[in-house]
Amino acid sequence: MNWINDYVRPRINSLNTLFTSKREMPDNLWRKCDECGTMLFHRELAEALYVCPSCQHHMLISPRDRFTALFDGGTYHEIAIPEPLADPLQFRDEKRYPDRMRDARRKTGEHEAVLLAEGDLGRLPVVALAQDFSFMGGSMGMAVGNAMIAGAERAVKRRAPFVVFSAAGGARMQEGILSLMQMPRTTVAVQMVKEAGLPYVVVLTNPTTGGVTASYAMLGDIQIAEPNALICFAGPRVIEQTIRETLPEGFQRAEYLLDHGMLDRVIHRREMRDELARLLRLLMNETPRVHGDLPAPSPAAQEAAEVVEAAKSGSPEA
């Protein structure tokens, strides 16, 4: 009896646990679409450039994933950004500003809310800047101003177009007036590119609001937006509460702004690379884009071509 209680029964229980227990599944394998609620497998979503295949909702995409899809072969070189002051105002609300920065860096794996890179787009050298809304709402602080100036200087030095992908909730409140000062700083950076005769193209993504919209995000030679992107200074909820009226359907969305002349294009994310390559080559007075090289002819084909050429010319070698 002791043998049964001490050995057989525990053995049976362990086998039952082995075959009936649920395997643990990581939380990041599936993602729910914010628009339609469809559950999407992470690999399929990444292949679709984080666009929901059911409703075509454009989800947030990291700057690195965006640059991988943008540049030729997914290859780009990251440009260093001058490091700003860590906590210039000694700001504290529920948390200290350095603690919030530490949490954002741990969550996103990035150092700041912006990434600056250069590479080839359709065989044309391009400098690109992208904001990361996952990093403190993509808020514009001194680091964003430094990145805009560094990107403009790099574009002028390389004689390359400057492309900016905006995604921000506005200025960074923890940096106060220093954050607002980035509006004129970034405007000067844009003017530097334009005075050099180089294209400055802005791609507005969801959302682009506040001081970013009021500065460099609306100064492009060509203004492009992703579908249904929210683009505004003050949000629709704030406006409705202020004027006490119901706003039109789709107010401050990309399609509405396109119809009212504030945008030049609304482009799907899958088509963004080809559209930018075409526009940038046109603005730089370059020849049309080459989509690929033909393979070199084999030795046998080369020899046959020489024989045919010799026969046409009447050579005795034929």
Side-chain angles (χ1 to χ4, degrees):
M1 192 69 179
N2 291 335
W3 177 77
I4 293 177
N5 290 332
D6 296 340
Y7 180 78
V8 177
R9 190 167 293 169
R11 187 71 174 174
I12 293 174
N13 290 338
S14 65
L15 291 174
N16 287 337
T17 302
L18 177 64
F19 288 107
T20 60
S21 63
K22 295 182 179 180
R23 297 178 62 184
E24 293 185 1
M25 182 177 295
D27 297 333
N28 59 352
L29 291 182
W30 295 86
R31 182 169 169 182
K32 184 178 180 179
C33 175
D34 304 328
E35 194 72 18
C36 67
T38 303
M39 297 300 295
L40 305 169
F41 189 54
H42 71 110
R43 291 181 182 173
E44 296 177 354
L45 187 59
E47 291 175 357
L49 299 180
Y50 297 91
V51 176
C52 177
S54 299
C55 65
Q56 300 302 307
H57 173 61
H58 284 52
M59 303 181 184
L60 298 181
I61 182 173
S62 70
R64 295 190 185 277
D65 289 333
R66 188 180 290 279
F67 286 163
T68 299
L70 177 70
F71 290 113
D72 295 346
T75 303
Y76 61 90
H77 170 68
E78 187 174 346
I79 301 174
I81 301 172
E83 188 72 19
L85 296 175
D87 188 9
L89 304 181
Q90 302 297 308
F91 189 93
R92 181 188 182 96
D93 45 24
E94 295 178 354
K95 291 182 180 180
R96 296 170 55 248
Y97 182 34
D99 294 337
R100 288 194 180 276
M101 289 290 290
R102 192 179 303 111
D103 293 342
R105 287 167 179 168
R106 182 168 53 247
K107 174 185 173 183
T108 62
E110 298 294 345
H111 188 70
E112 251 295 348
V114 64
L115 188 68
L116 183 62
E118 61 180 341
D120 289 342
L121 174 56
R123 299 186 179 181
L124 182 71
V126 172
V127 177
L129 179 148
Q131 292 180 265
D132 188 356
F133 191 78
S134 299
F135 193 106
M136 296 184 68
S139 50
M140 178 182 62
M142 291 185 291
V144 173
N146 290 348
M148 281 292 297
I149 293 174
E153 292 175 344
R154 187 68 173 179
V156 171
K157 181 178 180 180
R158 292 202 59 187
R159 301 293 304 167
F162 190 22
V163 180
V164 170
F165 295 87
S166 63
R172 184 170 296 178
M173 58 176 280
Q174 290 85 354
E175 296 183 14
I177 188 63
L178 297 176
S179 176
L180 296 178
M181 288 171 62
Q182 307 314 307
M183 296 172 64
R185 288 187 76 210
T186 55
T187 302
V188 171
V190 172
Q191 188 62 28
M192 186 191 314
V193 176
K194 293 187 176 185
E195 287 180 355
L198 299 169
Y200 173 66
V201 177
V202 181
V203 180
L204 300 108
T205 70
N206 185 50
T208 299
T209 63
V212 172
T213 308
S215 55
Y216 60 88
M218 298 303 293
L219 297 176
D221 297 316
I222 295 182
Q223 299 287 133
I224 302 174
E226 291 184 338
N228 203 39
L230 176 65
I231 304 165
C232 60
F233 181 72
R237 178 176 55 84
V238 175
I239 296 176
E240 283 186 339
Q241 292 175 351
T242 302
I243 66 176
R244 302 181 186 278
E245 291 185 11
T246 302
L247 298 175
E249 182 70 23
F251 183 70
Q252 294 181 321
R253 295 289 174 173
E255 291 76 10
Y256 184 92
L257 298 181
L258 177 66
D259 292 339
H260 289 77
M262 292 187 66
L263 296 175
D264 300 304
R265 297 277 196 280
V266 174
I267 304 295
H268 195 284
R269 192 174 289 168
R270 285 196 304 266
E271 302 169 1
M272 189 67 69
R273 167 182 156 80
D274 291 337
E275 183 72 6
L276 284 175
R278 184 178 69 84
L279 288 174
L280 292 177
R281 295 191 72 88
L282 181 64
L283 293 173
M284 291 292 289
N285 293 320
E286 296 285 343
T287 57
R289 177 187 171 194
V290 176
H291 290 270
D293 292 323
L294 295 174
S298 63
Q302 183 70 23
E303 183 177 351
E306 292 176 355
V307 171
V308 172
E309 187 66 27
K312 289 181 179 180
S313 62
S315 173
E317 295 181 359

